[in-house]
């Protein structure tokens, strides 16, 4: 999953970056509202972490602009602990949740996971397809109860397809959501990761839809036309 951090305080921004990267997310950063608004409008993210007290353009204005542009990306707002008015203003402007500063990294990651799951229509922390289980809390993957060891990038790709189970996901979309903006988007590594996942989980777990992309669904379900 790919996340944008919009935070002007360098130490906090780096702390957030390290926490998210350590949890397996691809991360882009912006240090002011102008840059944050641009990235949020032009790049594809699974979630955005947005501070309200930003230079150039404040966070509430950035959030309001995104929503007026039709951007539905889940937004987690960072607020001051004692500022209930900021929380209300953020939610009214279109935020999906908030975390008060200072915060525990575990809480932020848990809230972020929940936002991403809900946005893709998944209520449970465990994503499934047949006897394949992916636990978003622990990062563990099993098939028929047996643990399956995946690399970080294989896990990201499988997780994205499970979040969008039953849908055709293009190669470009996969690249946009599992890598940050500096990745070489002409790379053929998506095909390599799909091949590796099939070897570990079964040749039928991911269906190639010629000319369109990939699909992962419940076993026995006909592939999308």
């Amino acid at each position: 999953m790919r996340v944008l951090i919009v935070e002007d305080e360098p130490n906090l921004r780096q702390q957030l970056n390290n926490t998210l990267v350590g949890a397996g997310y691809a991360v882009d950063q912006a240090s002011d509202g102008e840059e944050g608004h641009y990235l949020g409008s032009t790049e594809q993210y699974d979630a955005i972490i947005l501070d309200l007290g930003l230079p150039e353009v404040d966070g509430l204005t950035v959030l309001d602009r995104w929503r007026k542009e039709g951007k539905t990306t889940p937004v987690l707002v960072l607020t001051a602990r004692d500022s209930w008015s900021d929380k209300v203003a953020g939610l009214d402007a279109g935020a999906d949740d908030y975390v008060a500063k200072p915060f525990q990294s575990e809480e932020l990651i848990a809230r972020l996971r929940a936002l991403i799951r809900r946005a893709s229509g998944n209520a449970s922390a465990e994503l499934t397809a047949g006897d394949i289980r992916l636990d978003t809390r622990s990062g563990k993957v099993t098939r028929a109860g047996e643990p399956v060891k995946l690399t970080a990038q294989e896990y990201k790709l499988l997780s994205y397809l499970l979040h969008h189970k039953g849908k055709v996901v293009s190669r470009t979309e996969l690249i946009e959501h599992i890598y940050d903006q500096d990745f070489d988007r002409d790379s053929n590594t998506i095909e390599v990761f799909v091949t590796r996942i099939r070897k570990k989980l079964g040749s039928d777990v991911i269906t190639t839809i010629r000319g369109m992309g990939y699909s992962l669904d419940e076993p026995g379900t006909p592939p999308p036309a």
Side-chain angles (χ1 to χ4, degrees):
M1 297 295 164
R2 187 178 174 200
V3 177
L4 172 65
I5 299 169
V6 189
E7 167 61 57
D8 64 312
E9 204 285 301
N11 290 335
L12 178 56
R13 189 170 66 249
Q14 192 58 46
Q15 175 194 339
L16 287 166
N17 179 84
N18 294 344
T19 296
L20 293 176
V21 170
Y25 293 91
V27 181
D28 293 339
Q29 301 180 33
S31 59
D32 61 62
E34 197 68 52
E35 182 185 16
H37 172 253
Y38 174 78
L39 288 176
S41 297
T42 58
E43 297 288 336
Q44 297 297 317
Y45 295 103
D46 296 286
I48 298 173
I49 298 174
L50 176 68
D51 187 28
L52 296 185
L54 296 169
E56 303 298 334
V57 182
D58 68 88
L60 282 178
T61 299
V62 171
L63 180 54
D64 184 60
R65 287 180 181 176
W66 283 333
R67 295 313 188 215
K68 287 180 177 176
E69 292 166 358
K71 299 295 180 182
T72 59
T73 307
V75 175
L76 179 67
V77 163
L78 301 181
T79 72
R81 181 173 293 278
D82 59 351
S83 181
W84 64 266
S85 59
D86 280 352
K87 299 171 187 175
V88 172
L91 292 170
D92 282 346
D96 298 274
D97 200 356
Y98 66 84
V99 171
K101 302 178 187 178
F103 52 82
Q104 295 295 321
S105 297
E106 292 81 0
E107 178 188 4
L108 182 138
I109 292 296
R111 288 182 178 273
L112 200 60
R113 284 198 304 259
L115 286 183
I116 293 172
R117 287 199 310 268
R118 289 200 296 268
S120 59
N122 296 288
S124 173
E126 188 177 71
L127 306 177
T128 67
D131 60 1
I132 296 172
R133 301 284 187 275
L134 185 151
D135 191 323
T136 60
R137 297 161 299 187
S138 66
K140 293 180 179 179
V141 176
T142 62
R143 179 153 201 182
E146 294 297 319
V148 178
K149 188 174 182 180
L150 300 180
T151 67
Q153 297 295 14
E154 290 165 3
Y155 176 88
K156 289 178 184 179
L157 192 150
L158 178 65
S159 175
Y160 192 82
L161 290 176
L162 281 169
H163 273 90
H164 298 83
K165 186 170 65 176
K167 299 177 182 177
V168 178
V169 180
S170 70
R171 177 178 170 277
T172 299
E173 182 177 346
L174 285 169
I175 290 174
E176 287 178 341
H177 285 268
I178 69 174
Y179 293 109
D180 61 37
Q181 67 186 114
D182 297 325
F183 179 75
D184 176 11
R185 296 187 178 183
D186 290 330
S187 172
N188 67 347
T189 53
I190 295 298
E191 288 82 356
V192 174
F193 294 144
V194 168
T195 299
R196 290 178 182 173
I197 291 171
R198 284 171 173 159
K199 287 181 178 179
K200 294 179 180 181
L201 292 175
S203 59
D204 59 343
V205 66
I206 299 174
T207 301
T208 300
I209 311 299
R210 189 171 299 277
M212 298 177 65
Y214 302 97
S215 177
L216 188 154
D217 211 328
E218 295 290 343
T221 302

